[in-house]
Every structure is written in structure tokens, then in C-alpha cells.
Amino acid sequence: MASITIRPSGQACGAEVDGLDLSKPLDAATLAEVKAAWLEHHVLSFPNQQLNGDQLEAFAQQFGGLGEDPFFNPIPGRKHIAAVKREAEDTNPIFAEYWHSDWSFMPEPPCGTVLYALDIPPHGGDTEFSNQHLSFESMPQEMKARFDGLRAIHSPKLGYSLKGVYGDVNNNGAMDIRPSEEAERMHHTHPLAPAHPETGRRGFLSGVSYIVGFEGLSDEEARPLIMALNEWQSREEFMYRHKWESNMLVLWDNRSVVHRATGGYEGYRRELLRVTVY
């Protein structure tokens, strides 16, 4: 068993893990320790890793099956690795700026996401995470009563339909996004505050990027609820702001946090490799 150090961020979630070489398979005891830390801290970062594509996929497979990204093209020669990339000269909007749980519009949303940093600018480009267990548990009872028991309708249409934010492939910069008419028709309904399948803790599976309504409510009734929840999720006490380094790998739990990208690195290149875990 490897000797590892886990340092909590001191914020609402997040921890850094040292002492592991992720280019090699984790032994059973170490993997169990990492999985326990993942469930406790929701976001784990592993600095100073040197990984090729095979090793990146092999690491992710220790946490679940690998899924194809429905609206990204993978990098050449790969089926399960996509690039989250922005060139120094790109002027299009920052990708994924609004709260979301990755691919929550799928019939069974992914349990986790892995991002591996290749090229990180000297400043900016942080990723913000919001702990949705804390968000749910801290909500005042009167406010919680408005949300508890709702079933949310998740759809990719706001982003990935031909009329969506990323619908114009000529305005997506270096991101290799494949918008589709299918995004307009695609939707799935999930409990707004499900119990985590491994810990049992309830938390919001939500975000303005993908929630387009609630079962049984009109658009006029749903819209203010979506915006009120977005404002609540954005409170500082639920947040962890992750600062990236080159060769850092981050694994997060889509069942317990939502996340969003930030900018502030205009004129610099940024590239990370992403693997989705189901």
C-alpha cells in the first residue's frame, strides 16, 4: 500500500493528494483509501503527474466505466478523451461558465469526471465547485419546502442545439464541439435532490446549464425556482475554488458537486484532457 498524504482545502470541499504515481495502477488498499477520500471531499487533486493517454484512461477506469461525450469530438486516436482547450487568440465565450453537473441530461448521469492539465496559464482559469450536500442541508426549511420532492427536467438544448450557446461551430474557438438537432429533443428527468448512491447524503443535482424545467410546473413557475436555486448554489460557504497547475489531475464527484469554469487568462493558452466516468 502506498503512503499518501491527503490535505483538505479548508474550503467547502476539495483535497490534495500527494504520494501517488497515477501512471501505475493503484493497489486495492490504496484505491479504497482514495475512493473514501473522494466521497468525503468530493474533489481530489493530484499534482505532478506524468500521464499518457493509456495511463489517463486506466486511472479513470478504476472508478467506473468510460463514457463517450455526446457533444464533444474526442482527440485524434482516442474514444474516451476529449480536450478542453482555448488558444491564446480565441475570443469566444469561456466554455462551461455556468453551474452544472456533467451530462446530467443523460438517462444515467456520470458519477465522475477526470481532468488532466497539460497547459495552464500563469493566472486565471480556476474551476469553481459548489458542494451540493451542504447546499441542500443548509437551506432554510421554508425555502427547502419549495424544492424538496421536485423532479427536474435536464436537457442539453441551451448549450448544444444548433440554436444553443455552442451551436455555431465557427464561434467555439479551439473547442471541438459537435452541436446537433438531437440536443433540442433530448431530455431526461431526475429527482432534484437525490440521495447519493454510495453515502446516502442528499444534495441538489442541478445547474442552470442543463435544468430547463420541473415536472408538473409551467415554464413561468419553473424559471424563478431555477434562478433562485442558482443564486443559492453560488453562496461562498458552499464553494471551493480550484487553482490549476500543469500536470495536475483532478477527479470530482458529479453526484455531490456542481462546477463552473472561470476566465481571466486572456492572451494565454489553456488545455486539459477530460475523461467522463459512468
Side-chain angles (χ1 to χ4, degrees), residues 138-160:
S138 303
M139 184 174 278
Q141 203 58 43
E142 183 177 334
M143 184 179 183
K144 187 184 292 186
R146 300 165 61 195
F147 296 101
D148 203 4
L150 288 177
R151 292 183 62 84
I153 303 167
H154 297 247
S155 169
K157 67 180 181 180
L158 298 178
Y160 299 104

Side-chain angles (χ1 to χ4, degrees), residues 193-268:
H196 192 289
E198 295 189 65
T199 67
R201 290 181 71 183
R202 293 186 67 192
F204 293 115
L205 176 70
S206 60
V208 292
S209 290
Y210 296 139
I211 288 186
V212 297
F214 296 105
E215 226 174 39
L217 298 184
S218 67
D219 289 346
E220 290 71 25
E221 293 170 314
R223 195 170 298 113
L225 288 177
I226 293 170
M227 299 316 296
L229 185 55
N230 180 69
E231 183 177 355
W232 178 258
Q233 291 173 310
S234 302
R235 292 168 68 100
E236 190 70 28
E237 60 262 39
F238 308 140
M239 288 177 57
Y240 161 56
R241 189 176 182 99
H242 179 74
K243 297 188 178 298
W244 289 91
E245 302 170 2
S246 294
N247 300 318
M248 173 179 278
L249 181 143
V250 172
L251 165 71
W252 68 82
D253 189 339
N254 283 298
R255 304 161 298 184
S256 58
V257 296
V258 291
H259 63 283
R260 63 186 179 189
T262 67
Y265 55 96
E266 292 76 8
Y268 292 95

Side-chain angles (χ1 to χ4, degrees), residues 9-248:
S9 69
Q11 300 177 50
C13 56
E16 184 174 281
V17 181
D18 282 326
L20 290 179
D21 177 0
L22 302 185
S23 69
K24 303 171 183 176
L26 303 179
D27 62 73
T30 302
L31 180 59
E33 187 175 358
V34 170
K35 285 184 174 180
W38 184 41
L39 294 176
E40 179 181 357
H41 300 289
H42 317 299
V43 184
L44 298 181
S45 61
F46 303 82
N48 304 314
Q49 301 297 322
Q50 300 290 333
L51 303 176
N52 60 32
D54 288 340
Q55 293 163 341
L56 179 59
E57 289 184 348
F59 171 79
Q61 281 182 304
Q62 295 173 104
F63 296 86
L66 305 188
E68 294 182 49
D69 292 308
F71 299 104
F72 288 166
N73 287 312
I75 62 174
R78 291 287 166 180
K79 188 177 180 180
H80 302 294
I81 301 176
V84 178
K85 183 166 59 173
R86 187 178 179 84
E87 300 295 351
E89 63 273 14
D90 284 353
T91 58
N92 54 297
I94 298 295
F95 177 71
E97 285 186 288
Y98 300 99
W99 291 125
H100 62 286
S101 176
D102 283 334
W103 305 146
S104 64
F105 51 79
M106 298 293 280
E108 293 186 16
C111 66
T113 300
V114 173
L115 270 188
Y116 176 57
L118 297 180
D119 195 1
I120 297 300
H123 53 76
D126 299 345
T127 301
E128 292 183 335
F129 295 89
S130 178
N131 183 331
Q132 291 310 287
H133 293 319
L134 288 182
S135 175
F136 178 80
E137 293 163 358
S138 303
M139 184 174 278
Q141 203 58 43
E142 183 177 334
M143 184 179 183
K144 187 184 292 186
R146 300 165 61 195
F147 296 101
D148 203 4
L150 288 177
R151 292 183 62 84
I153 303 167
H154 297 247
S155 169
K157 67 180 181 180
L158 298 178
Y160 299 104
S161 71
L162 299 182
K163 299 176 183 177
V165 174
Y166 311 116
D168 180 2
V169 294
N170 297 313
N171 192 42
N172 289 331
M175 288 292 296
D176 197 359
I177 297 171
R178 52 169 188 255
S180 166
E181 289 183 0
E182 176 63 21
E184 196 72 41
R185 301 184 293 269
M186 187 177 181
H187 66 272
H188 288 282
T189 303
H190 304 295
L192 179 62
H196 192 289
E198 295 189 65
T199 67
R201 290 181 71 183
R202 293 186 67 192
F204 293 115
L205 176 70
S206 60
V208 292
S209 290
Y210 296 139
I211 288 186
V212 297
F214 296 105
E215 226 174 39
L217 298 184
S218 67
D219 289 346
E220 290 71 25
E221 293 170 314
R223 195 170 298 113
L225 288 177
I226 293 170
M227 299 316 296
L229 185 55
N230 180 69
E231 183 177 355
W232 178 258
Q233 291 173 310
S234 302
R235 292 168 68 100
E236 190 70 28
E237 60 262 39
F238 308 140
M239 288 177 57
Y240 161 56
R241 189 176 182 99
H242 179 74
K243 297 188 178 298
W244 289 91
E245 302 170 2
S246 294
N247 300 318
M248 173 179 278

